[in-house]
Amino acid sequence: MMRRFFLYAAFILTLSAAFSAEQTSLSADNADWTCVIGGEAVTRPVQTSYGFVVLTDGKMISACTENGTKLWEKPVPGRPDPFLTVISKDFLVTVSDKKTISLINPSGVVLWSKKLPYQVTESALPGKDARFFVKGKKNISCFGINGVCKWSIETPSLSSIPLVTLNDGTILAVLLNSENGKSSGIRISPFGTVLETISFAGIVSGAMTCDYGVLLAFSSGGFGLCAVNEKEKLTGTKWAVPSNDYALQSASPSKGTEFVPVSQSLSALLLSSSGKSVKVILFENRTGKIVNIFYADALDFLRLSAAKGALGGEGIFLSDDRTGRVYDTAGNIVWSAALPSASSRAGNWNFLSYTKNNVIVICSKSWVMNGFRTVQRLSGKKNVSSVQKKSGNPVRYENFYIIDTEQFNRYFSESFGEDILGKNRISVLQKGMYGPDEINFSSKLFSVCKAYSQFLSSASSGARTEEKSIFYRDTIGLQETVMQLSLLGTDEVPELIASLIQTEKNMQNLAFLMKAAGQCAYDPDGRMLRAIEKRLLTLPPRNTTVLVALSDAAYEICRFMGRPAFFSHCMEIQKSLLSNQYDNTVHEAVRKNLSKTAALNM
């Protein structure tokens, strides 16, 4: 009883702060910046590392900094749908004409488009290794960043709850139909296998991924954490707040629920409350411990336009179509503003977003974005936000593979057999739809290539005997293995290819490693480009075959990764290859690659 009284007393104090807070009014006249875009926004701006991107009905996508500087504006294929996802390293996934997905690099270049046999119903879900997942009404598909559809499965009818990722990297999809007043879901591996069917405690009304699993809210009240048990590998409840808990009093979960990540360790559950206010329940993700409850007075839950963590994890931004506010985690209003009228001729806006650096971005229907700075991170103020903690090692799909490098120290065959290379596997990897076979493919390919990398590294100690190694007895098989590796379309591959390029001394092998780097092209941390740049310094000027392959690889990586890759490495690589020490064949290849780079208009 004492605890409940304290919470209600805190609530009254919070309301007092709300009434005394000073409020400003936002308009185009007092915007901190204004930016013209290529049409009317079809979805709210989406955060990137450099700022944000916005998709418009003018078939354009614009990339801007949080200061309103437009970095680029490029066309997108087809008629864009309101689905936009930022995946690994600022790559973008768009949906157009209901069924076509496209991958756009960080400089706005469309790398590929694929038409699906079903209509896409939500933004793509990023995976853990540059793959991503696409959802329809009765379908889920997985694509590698290279555009290969790894698998596609039919499912029972799916609900409007977005796909979410569990703590072990598997995918949770909530089904549309309920049974006995309870939702059910299916858990799917990253490789397309349905692992289990899950029955929930009620009708799921909201779901959100956190470091420890998936947070679930129910329309009848109550919320909790769903996670995969490490030992049994089955899904269970880690903690739950029941519907009759004091935290859910004076709330109407049947009108909807929304989770908001506040910091790495803290989230908020938003619910409708009486008197047109939003109830905010702050809790710890790992334990479910409720750390604060407050009310956002005079904000309409059913008309919320944005909800986002703010103040560097020390607060939360909430807005409907009339008011925007920043609260600290103690429930105090630290910034408040009346928004431009969404329906008036002067305001006339349709989407609002709040950035990680505390800027409100309002997209008007007149093709203009206005930015408003709110407040900076709090300093010296006490609040209830938990200290951000690391949850341990990040989940990697490589953990699903069985990698054995030792076997190749005692591999006495004259060549890599079909058990390693498979039958027509390059064709299979290019066509896709290999589903759970990817685990076997990747296990074999990573085993061979990591053993190859260890073999090359042993050269410095003089421990290797080239003539006895399978890697030199079957160079054709080795080449095919590395080429297969480059077709996996995941982010474990470029690091391994880079290490091979750095250590391989055989020029014939180095040529096909350069080709593999170009075929992979995805170089998220610049490892392959750095390896290529270093090897250029050690190559004989007359080794034309390797030098041309090197120039081609640099171009392919630059095309895929965009403008930053060109200016950080590619430009210097191609420039170096134009020096007089290299022959006309190399110069011609470089000029051709520079011409293709210019045509990209990055």
Side-chain angles (χ1 to χ4, degrees), residues 433-471:
M433 297 301 290
Y434 39 75
D437 286 343
E438 182 183 359
I439 297 175
N440 178 49
F441 296 167
S442 296
S443 296
K444 298 284 179 63
L445 297 175
F446 278 108
S447 293
V448 173
C449 293
K450 287 192 174 187
Y452 175 33
S453 178
Q454 292 169 6
F455 168 74
L456 293 175
S457 297
S458 69
S460 58
S461 64
R464 74 179 189 180
T465 53
E466 295 182 1
E467 67 279 0
K468 294 182 180 181
S469 170
I470 180 64
F471 303 114

Side-chain angles (χ1 to χ4, degrees), residues 78-106:
R79 183 178 180 84
D81 295 296
F83 307 127
L84 176 62
T85 305
V86 179
I87 62 171
S88 175
K89 300 298 178 180
D90 291 327
F91 282 79
L92 310 173
V93 179
T94 64
V95 180
S96 56
D97 301 321
K98 308 295 183 184
K99 295 182 176 181
T100 300
I101 60 170
S102 300
L103 183 77
I104 300 173
N105 79 6

Side-chain angles (χ1 to χ4, degrees), residues 147-175:
V148 173
C149 182
K150 293 175 174 288
W151 52 263
S152 186
I153 61 172
E154 290 189 12
T155 67
S157 296
L158 299 168
S159 76
S160 59
I161 303 293
L163 296 178
V164 283
T165 306
L166 284 155
N167 52 304
D168 67 339
T170 56
I171 307 305
L172 176 62
V174 180
L175 303 182

